[in-house]
Amino acid sequence: MTDSTHSDEDAPQPASEPSPETTGRGWLTRRLFPDGAEPDPRFTLANERTFLAWMRTSLALLGAGVALEAFAADVFPHLIRHLAALVLVGTALVASLSATYRWHRVETAMRRGRPLPAPSLALLLAVGLTLTSFVLLGLVLGAGA
Amino acid sequence: MTGRATAAPRHDDPGLQPERTTLAWTRTTLSLLVVGVLMVRLLALAHVPVAPAVVGVVVTIVIVLRDQSLRHAKAVRGLVHAGMPTAPTSVLAVGGGTALLALGVLAALVWAAR
């Protein structure tokens, strides 16, 4: 405030503050989300965390399938073990692809102020996991008897 | 009147959204690493070449770490200025990397079942 003798050529720059709408909108972001307005940052971050939770679920399914195949050795009959591993890994594949798709749909819906799409995969995941659990539980109990 | 511009502006969001999101990215990247290591072990047991899996996991993790390195500060700034873009590079890397990993495991399972 007291520094009034300072006479550099650069004037105060109020315009240097970039507008939130244009900050960091890279090529990929503009390509994937061409229209709509930036939603509340908390919703954007929550959408990312939901995607990440689905990805960890997918990774857990993948890990379960791999562990079943690599470390179960001769506890289970081979055919059923292969089948269970295939179901687990297949579900992991579907979950990872649909989670990515859903992240895009949710973000687009929020940008346009539309209702969010329903989590259609949750039911499939619940049914598949329950069935696999029963089969494996039966096998473990059968092997222990 | 305003202080000097700091690297991390303050926000008054009680939900700690940037922190939770950063931790979620970290957890997921770690999960990817663990499952990737497990998978390489399976591939080695099945005598399938492991190089593509190792390269895929490492590339995915490097992309996410690079893309997310300044994300926490960006998220805080986004909360302060009410507007921030999402992170499509990281999302597509994790989604695509995990899908490829699952495809690789499926291929290895079919290979081993023959």
Side-chain angles (χ1 to χ4, degrees), chain A residues 17 22 34 50 53 56 70 75 90 119-120 123 131-132 136 142:
Chain A
E17 187 76 60
T22 53
T50 307
R56 286 194 299 277
V75 181
S120 49
L123 184 66
L131 284 180
T132 315
L136 291 181

Side-chain angles (χ1 to χ4, degrees), chain B:
Chain B
M1 189 161 120
T2 54
R4 68 188 171 86
T6 51
R10 286 161 184 268
H11 65 86
D12 58 354
D13 171 47
L16 296 175
Q17 304 271 345
E19 289 81 354
R20 284 154 63 196
T21 310
T22 303
L23 286 169
W25 278 107
T26 312
R27 277 199 305 276
T28 309
T29 313
L30 271 174
S31 306
L32 191 62
L33 184 64
V34 169
V35 174
V37 169
L38 255 179
M39 180 193 164
V40 167
R41 180 85 184 106
L42 171 74
L43 291 180
L45 284 176
H47 302 291
V48 177
V50 296
V54 173
V55 171
V57 170
V58 169
V59 165
T60 305
I61 290 177
V62 167
I63 289 177
V64 172
L65 289 183
R66 269 184 59 93
D67 191 47
Q68 292 291 320
S69 61
L70 298 173
R71 194 77 199 303
H72 186 274
K74 278 184 196 164
V76 171
R77 228 173 284 136
L79 280 174
V80 173
H81 297 299
M84 68 172 297
T86 185
T89 307
S90 299
V91 168
L92 292 185
V94 169
T98 307
L100 280 180
L101 216 59
L103 266 180
V105 174
L106 271 183
L109 284 177
V110 172
W111 176 284
R114 285 183 318 136

Side-chain angles (χ1 to χ4, degrees), chain A residues 29-123:
Chain A
T29 315
R30 289 191 309 259
R31 183 80 194 269
L32 286 174
F33 307 107
D35 57 351
E38 216 68 79
D40 188 321
R42 284 169 294 180
F43 301 160
T44 299
L45 292 171
N47 187 26
E48 264 173 48
R49 289 198 302 274
T50 307
F51 161 78
L52 289 170
W54 272 108
M55 294 316 297
R56 286 194 299 277
T57 306
S58 169
L59 284 168
L61 287 165
L62 192 54
V66 171
L68 192 60
E69 192 62 25
F71 304 117
D74 296 323
V75 181
F76 306 139
H78 280 250
L79 180 67
I80 295 176
R81 197 190 73 194
H82 279 309
L83 220 59
L86 275 176
V87 169
L88 285 171
V89 177
T91 314
L93 180 62
V94 173
S96 65
L97 291 177
S98 78
T100 310
Y101 176 62
R102 192 175 142 73
W103 163 81
H104 182 261
R105 278 185 71 195
V106 168
E107 192 73 19
T108 302
M110 291 195 304
R111 294 182 67 86
R112 293 175 183 164
R114 307 282 306 162
L116 300 186
S120 49
L121 188 74
L123 184 66

